[in-house]
Amino acid sequence: MTRIDARFEKLRAEGKKAFVAYVMAGDPDFDSALEVVKGLPGAGVDIIELGLPFTDPMADGPTIQLAGQRALAGGMTLEKTLETVRRFREGDQETPIVLMGYYNPIYSRGVDRFLADAQEAGVDGLIVVDLPPEEDDELCIPAQKAGLNFIRLATPTTDDKRLPKVLENTSGFVYYVSITGITGAAAAQSGEVGPEVARIKAQTDLPVIVGFGIRTPETAEEIASVADGCVVGSAIVGEIADGRSVEEILGFVKGLAEGAHRA
């Protein structure tokens, strides 16, 4: 059982939905980003998604693109992202961390080396948005063998013919993208999301977590009520971009987490 599996088991026992928070590693700099990451569990975050900075993040909107650019300009690397995880693990051995990003930095490092380093650092799962199921032998299968969950995205355009292929080697949870398009682009609607979550859950026992388009505690509650939890990324990254203090950022996250946990 991975930390992700254990966390969902705990949440089920407590009758709670999951709140997942995304932040970009190294944004705006290594030290302040690390401070935010370390503070997320205390703000009510159940699972941390840590963005892996990359020069061409095609699934992301301007907010997260700019976060990646700030991180890269500040000298952030894959190695420093793993160091962020190591430093976090010095004080927290329970909160799951999922690295979210693109395949190029992993490929450049070498899959075997990356997986060994990620496991050693304390990474629990991967979301690699530009590797389709047809490429599972490339990273997904080796990751599972190394003890890491490989989390796949389903979208409004993932039809019933495609869905079984998407779910085939997925583990940890399914990330349902609530809107068609890039991150931070529109608001999620529970009336549209609910039937899609039900459709996915009819084909898998995995938890289904909904992301994209969630910016307020009210929307977090609304979306979490029709799923197993929700993810907020762009809204949190936007607070960082606006130069908020660590305390202000974590206060904002706390409100979102409380919304999701009310569901």
Side-chain angles (χ1 to χ4, degrees):
M1 181 180 284
T2 65
R3 285 190 188 95
I4 296 171
D5 299 329
R7 180 52 53 99
F8 278 111
E9 192 173 88
K10 181 174 184 285
L11 288 165
R12 275 193 295 270
E14 295 172 352
K16 287 171 70 176
K17 301 299 179 76
F19 180 67
V20 184
Y22 170 99
V23 292
M24 179 68 72
D27 176 36
D29 58 71
F30 181 90
D31 291 334
S32 56
L34 176 61
E35 202 174 338
V36 170
V37 172
K38 284 182 173 181
L40 291 175
V45 173
D46 299 300
I47 298 172
I48 297 168
E49 278 183 20
L50 191 59
L52 186 56
F54 179 51
T55 52
D56 188 22
M58 60 219 179
D60 293 304
T63 302
I64 290 178
Q65 285 186 19
L66 289 168
Q69 288 175 18
R70 287 192 299 270
L72 291 168
M76 201 61 183
T77 61
L78 174 52
E79 179 54 44
K80 288 183 178 178
T81 302
L82 294 174
E83 181 59 23
T84 297
V85 180
R86 291 186 195 100
R87 299 271 286 275
F88 175 85
R89 286 281 170 238
E90 290 171 2
D92 187 321
Q93 285 293 323
E94 293 187 1
T95 305
I97 292 184
V98 175
L99 288 189
M100 184 170 187
Y102 299 82
Y103 186 46
N104 186 280
I106 296 169
Y107 177 79
S108 297
R109 192 179 187 87
V111 167
D112 292 344
R113 181 186 171 199
F114 167 77
L115 291 174
D117 291 346
Q119 187 187 44
E120 174 271 327
V123 173
D124 303 292
L126 303 174
I127 300 174
V128 182
V129 298
D130 55 346
L131 272 183
E134 286 74 16
E135 305 295 334
D136 274 358
D137 289 341
E138 191 81 20
L139 181 63
C140 173
I141 303 299
Q144 311 258 37
K145 287 179 179 175
L148 300 178
N149 289 127
F150 199 88
I151 296 141
R152 190 84 67 192
L153 276 64
T155 74
T157 59
T158 307
D159 61 20
D160 288 335
K161 184 178 178 184
R162 179 66 174 168
L163 187 58
K165 186 69 177 175
V166 170
L167 297 173
E168 187 176 14
N169 292 313
T170 300
S171 65
F173 61 91
V174 179
Y175 186 136
Y176 178 68
V177 176
S178 67
I179 56 174
T180 304
I182 54 176
T183 56
Q189 304 292 330
S190 62
E192 298 171 2
V193 169
E196 289 298 297
V197 170
R199 182 171 69 91
I200 295 166
K201 290 180 76 67
Q203 296 200 37
T204 181
D205 293 329
L206 291 171
V208 180
I209 304 299
V210 177
F212 286 46
I214 302 167
R215 310 188 69 83
T216 66
E218 293 74 23
T219 310
E221 179 179 3
E222 188 184 327
I223 295 299
S225 72
V226 298
D228 295 300
C230 66
V231 186
V232 178
S234 293
I236 299 169
V237 173
E239 293 291 300
I240 296 168
D242 287 342
R244 307 278 189 239
S245 69
V246 172
E247 292 74 19
E248 288 172 324
I249 293 161
L250 295 176
F252 178 74
V253 172
K254 187 171 188 289
L256 294 163
E258 287 171 349
H261 291 151
R262 281 195 300 267

